[in-house]
Amino acid sequence: MTERPLLLLDVDGPLNPFRSRIAGLRGYTTHRMHPADWMAGRDPGSRGARRGLRVRLHPAHGARLLALPFELTWATAWMHQANTMIAPHIGLPGDLPVIEWPELFAADPDGLFWKTRPLIDWAAGRPFAWVDDMITPRDRAWIAAHHPAPALLLTIHPRHGLRERDFATLTRWAAQISGAAR
């Protein structure tokens, strides 16, 4: 049996359209959360720390993601907190694999996005779709040159989050590589 391709999923941007100016964006619900990395940069007594980070999530996204022919993996700075803080609000299981970054937000010597190299190591030669709001043309070129399997890099605008067309793109790409593997 062939392994399903990986779906490497970021939180902020794709699932949390944090740049949206519309509070009631298309069925999203607003949550206040206290992720450790975000809290580390706040004065514990400040109003912002007490209120928490505003996170907008769409409760139907979990079912939509689970219906895709992928193996889901968190590829986010939220790391394991995505399983405890994000997953319950969108209907994903709380035990998805998590890419553990060697260093968050580390500068890359070649100007790649800080997630790119560790993400390729995690994929270990498997086909993958990477859904993130920070993918650059440089990342695309580097992955094309250094990853032996098919890879879809799907940039999501952080004002809009995942849209119907993004789910369609993921479904179409998975079908294409599945057909090519036969």
Side-chain angles (χ1 to χ4, degrees):
M1 170 150 169
T2 305
E3 290 180 301
R4 295 185 304 165
L6 297 167
L7 177 56
L8 307 174
L9 185 61
D10 185 27
V11 170
D12 295 318
L15 295 178
N16 171 27
F18 64 93
R19 293 259 189 248
S20 175
R21 295 185 192 120
I22 304 168
L25 182 67
R26 301 183 314 277
Y28 283 76
T29 57
T30 299
H31 308 272
R32 292 290 180 167
M33 299 182 185
H34 298 87
D37 285 330
W38 183 81
M39 289 296 292
R42 306 282 176 284
D43 174 355
S46 71
R47 180 174 184 251
R50 287 191 311 272
R51 289 187 72 197
L53 175 67
R54 182 181 60 211
V55 179
R56 295 177 178 141
L57 300 170
H58 198 298
H61 276 166
R64 297 287 309 272
L65 290 164
L66 290 171
L68 294 170
F70 289 91
E71 181 182 314
L72 300 179
T73 298
W74 292 115
T76 175
W78 289 72
M79 291 195 286
H80 291 281
Q81 290 181 336
N83 277 324
T84 58
M85 294 184 169
I86 303 300
H89 293 288
I90 63 173
L92 287 177
D95 61 352
L96 291 177
V98 175
I99 297 177
E100 295 189 23
W101 311 110
E103 183 180 351
L104 292 176
F105 314 111
D108 183 85
D110 296 322
L112 299 173
F113 181 36
W114 64 269
K115 292 181 184 178
T116 304
R117 290 178 199 268
L119 189 139
I120 293 301
D121 291 342
W122 175 271
R126 287 181 61 187
F128 70 83
W130 177 18
V131 178
D132 204 300
D133 62 313
M134 300 292 290
I135 299 166
T136 68
R138 185 171 291 186
D139 298 308
R140 291 178 190 285
W142 193 87
I143 289 172
H146 293 89
H147 187 66
L152 170 68
L153 280 64
L154 186 58
T155 304
I156 305 298
H157 196 291
R159 184 173 291 147
H160 307 295
L162 280 169
R163 297 187 197 187
E164 184 61 40
R165 68 182 181 205
D166 302 316
F167 286 102
T169 297
L170 290 164
T171 301
R172 192 170 42 254
W173 183 81
Q176 288 170 350
I177 66 162
S178 169
R182 289 184 191 150

